[in-house]
Amino acid sequence: MKRILTTTAALALTSGIASAEYNLTILHTNDFHARFEPISKYDSGCSAEDDAEGECFGGSARLVTAIAEARARSDNSILVDGGDQFQGTLFYTYYKGALAAEMMNALGYDGMTVGNHEFDDGPEVLRGFMDAVKFPVLMSNADVSAEPLLADTLAKSTVIERGGEKIGLIGLTPEDTDELASPGDNITFSDPVAAVQGEVDRLSAEGVNKIVVLSHSGYRTDQRVAAETTGVDVIVGGHSNSLLSNTNERADGPYPTMVGETAIVQAYAYGKFLGELNVTFDDAGNITAAQGEPIIMDSSVQQDAATQARIAQAAKPLEEIRNKVVAETAAEIVGVREDCRARECAMGNLIADAMLARVKDQGVEIAVQNGGGIRASIDAGEVTMGEVLTVLPFQNTLSTFDVTGETIIAALENGVSEHEEGAGRFLQVAGMSYAFDVSKPVGSRISDVTVGGAPIDPAKVYSVVSNNYVRNGGDGFDMFKSAENAYDFGPDLADVTAEFLAAKGPYAPYTDGRITMK
């Protein structure tokens, strides 16, 4: 079994014996979500004027520069990604995986794991992306043998070489990807711990003693994998959009987070940071040192001119859609995941209100919107269609259906079932209110549910509007799959929200206490 050495122990050993130390820099990104252009502090679009003023972050052109500089600082380096390159802006809507493949090839990635959003358009688009990239795409905790498009293409792990040493890379994706995306019926997902240990054992038997897991499973799951497996040196995370840092006061944990012998890192999302972890191994493959810090991609990072030009060229077909001003807002509409996946948020109210307003004349009483479907905030002033599509990029359609009050309460229970993890199933609502207490036992966390101001009747049938993803069981909402009178083919949710905003201009964002946390 590997063992990690303290700095003191490592110095004591190296002072007396000449050891074959091996230094490796692991550069990493995660949850890029098609943010090829610079973004604002709200993780939404950033204008050229604001970029010139130094107020923007990220973008592929900054990553080109930062990665080149980081590689120059290191004798041995690899560049890997923790998944979810797909989905999030018009670039993905228009190009699907093609532009991501082009940019990742240009940046020289050595490997990535499959994120749940890589399945948003089924195995077909993922396979096209895999055919286009020049590096391995990995996923260990799924059986793809029954899916012809992936069966002979999508590997569980791979081995790369750097500086004469073999490095094992293992992919990991959320176990509930079948609820989060559209992988189809031919793929089954499995427990991450068993999957990772199986690949570690196989790689170790082949003599590979430096192992990196590329995990799109979230910070909490990564800590569990580290605690319950042996032989994993580094986990490069994603999915929870966690900022791990030793200097940022908003960090979710230290960089790296050490669990036993395993160093866990993650670099927030959207290309706003480039992770840089420097690891030293002894000749037995034990980590003797692991340190680093995510590098913020702010205006101090020069943008590569050629990459800027290529992204500008790719953006031309999108301009007419994106630049159309559709509304105005009097203040920032907050849509950050920290709010919309945990409590009532202004963007959640806007979207739920917009859905309900659109179908109220059909007798619909309640609107529910999953917080994970809300992807950004919108700043004050003019609102463009591009901004709305950044908030709601999934091309979800309005779904109307009928369920009992008992089913609605069950859905609210599901919504708070992974509250501590910041899961996307947390429900924003309109036409109703509810309270929740996550300290209560499962099945009794929801209380004070009202519809139209009156207590909910568990036996009564209510008409509900949501998006087609939630209605069809996404995010664990299986209770809606058997709903009566379901119609999943309404207008696009982004269009509905934009039209509602336009009719309210200038829109005044608000929260009104419709969701209470006890």
Side-chain angles (χ1 to χ4, degrees):
M1 184 184 295
K2 290 183 180 181
R3 57 193 176 87
I4 190 163
L5 301 173
T6 64
T7 303
T8 305
L11 288 173
L13 282 177
T14 55
S15 63
I17 305 168
S19 68
E21 279 194 344
Y22 174 72
N23 296 308
L24 178 68
T25 298
I26 300 173
L27 305 173
H28 59 97
T29 54
N30 59 275
D31 299 276
F32 187 70
H33 287 300
R35 299 302 207 274
F36 303 104
E37 294 179 316
I39 57 174
S40 72
K41 63 182 179 180
Y42 304 111
D43 300 332
S44 188
C46 202
S47 69
E49 293 78 17
D50 286 345
D51 202 11
E53 293 292 322
E55 296 179 12
C56 299
F57 302 84
S60 297
R62 283 194 177 90
L63 282 174
V64 167
T65 301
I67 289 166
E69 291 175 349
R71 283 175 172 147
R73 291 191 290 269
S74 172
D75 293 330
N76 299 302
S77 67
I78 62 172
L79 174 63
V80 292
D81 185 76
D84 273 10
Q85 281 281 327
F86 286 14
Q87 197 64 266
T89 68
L90 277 176
F91 283 107
Y92 179 76
T93 306
Y94 190 85
Y95 292 104
K96 298 305 177 187
L99 190 60
E102 178 186 338
M103 286 295 118
M104 294 186 82
N105 284 338
L107 288 165
Y109 277 83
D110 294 291
M112 73 173 283
T113 190
V114 177
N116 52 287
H117 285 291
E118 267 72 69
F119 280 114
D120 276 356
D121 287 287
E124 297 84 359
V125 172
L126 174 57
R127 175 59 189 266
F129 171 79
M130 292 176 65
D131 287 343
V133 296
K134 300 174 181 176
F135 53 84
V137 179
L138 309 167
M139 183 171 68
S140 66
N141 63 320
D143 181 357
V144 298
S145 59
E147 175 47 66
L149 287 165
L150 301 176
D152 299 318
T153 310
L154 182 54
K156 295 177 183 292
S157 63
T158 194
V159 178
I160 62 173
E161 289 199 17
R162 198 65 89 246
E165 294 287 329
K166 291 181 178 180
I167 303 162
L169 302 179
I170 301 171
L172 199 58
T173 203
E175 189 177 356
D176 59 349
T177 290
D178 57 335
E179 297 179 0
L180 300 174
S182 304
D185 297 328
N186 299 329
I187 303 173
T188 56
F189 297 86
S190 60
D191 178 71
V193 171
V196 167
Q197 192 65 65
E199 290 305 297
V200 171
D201 293 347
R202 191 179 63 79
L203 292 168
S204 298
E206 296 174 5
V208 180
N209 64 8
K210 301 169 186 67
I211 293 178
V212 179
V213 175
L214 309 180
S215 171
H216 192 80
S217 298
Y219 186 39
R220 288 168 67 96
T221 297
D222 290 344
Q223 292 174 78
R224 181 168 78 88
V225 170
E228 297 178 16
T229 60
T230 58
V232 175
D233 295 299
V234 178
I235 298 177
V236 175
H239 190 50
S240 55
N241 293 25
S242 302
L243 175 61
L244 303 184
S245 169
N246 305 309
T247 61
N248 192 306
E249 61 184 21
R250 297 182 65 184
D252 296 300
Y255 185 102
T257 297
M258 296 303 304
V259 176
E261 304 173 355
T262 305
I264 301 170
V265 293
Q266 196 175 150
Y268 185 56
Y270 312 126
K272 199 172 250 184
F273 294 85
L274 172 67
E276 182 181 34
L277 180 69
N278 299 299
V279 185
T280 301
F281 296 90
D282 65 15
D283 53 6
N286 300 305
I287 293 180
T288 60
Q291 57 189 6
E293 183 72 14
I295 306 163
I296 191 163
M297 298 291 101
D298 61 14
S299 60
S300 67
V301 181
Q302 189 75 28
Q303 297 189 64
D304 176 71
T307 307
Q308 272 188 301
R310 173 66 188 112
I311 297 300
Q313 180 187 35
K316 283 181 180 176
L318 318 179
E319 288 305 307
E320 185 177 350
I321 308 168
R322 187 160 53 180
N323 290 334
K324 181 182 179 183
V325 175
V326 294
E328 183 179 351
T329 178
E332 177 197 354
I333 311 172
V334 176
V336 294
R337 62 186 284 137
E338 293 85 354
D339 281 357
C340 296
R341 296 176 179 224
R343 60 188 66 86
E344 178 188 357
C345 72
M347 190 68 77
N349 286 357
L350 164 63
I351 296 164
D353 288 351
M355 287 196 291
L356 188 57
R358 184 63 172 254
V359 294
K360 207 162 188 178
D361 61 355
Q362 300 173 28
V364 176
E365 300 167 85
I366 296 167
V368 293
Q369 163 68 24
N370 58 318
I374 302 170
R375 309 303 288 192
S377 300
I378 293 176
D379 55 4
E382 290 184 340
V383 179
T384 64
M385 194 62 203
E387 287 180 294
V388 177
L389 286 163
T390 299
V391 175
L392 297 164
F394 299 115
Q395 297 177 290
N396 290 137
T397 53
L398 251 60
S399 290
T400 52
F401 52 97
D402 296 338
V403 290
T404 63
E406 182 181 19
T407 300
I408 292 164
I409 294 168
L412 294 171
E413 275 280 347
N414 176 66
V416 301
S417 64
E418 297 182 7
H419 188 267
E420 290 183 357
E421 290 89 345
R425 61 189 60 193
F426 186 83
L427 285 178
Q428 302 290 328
V429 300
M432 67 176 299
S433 64
Y434 71 96
F436 69 98
D437 184 346
V438 292
S439 70
K440 297 283 189 183
V442 174
S444 59
R445 294 171 294 195
I446 299 298
S447 64
D448 306 312
V449 184
T450 68
V451 178
I456 195 166
D457 180 351
K460 181 182 174 181
V461 173
Y462 294 89
S463 189
V464 181
V465 62
S466 189
N467 60 69
N468 63 311
Y469 168 76
V470 166
R471 213 290 298 167
N472 284 283
D475 273 339
F477 289 100
D478 291 341
M479 68 288 295
F480 290 155
K481 291 169 74 172
S482 57
E484 298 290 325
N485 300 318
Y487 181 76
D488 296 327
F489 310 105
D492 187 288
L493 182 54
D495 290 335
V496 169
T497 303
E499 290 168 15
F500 183 81
L501 268 174
K504 298 287 182 181
Y507 180 74
Y510 72 99
T511 56
D512 59 8
R514 61 185 69 176
I515 302 173
T516 304
M517 182 174 181
K518 290 188 174 179

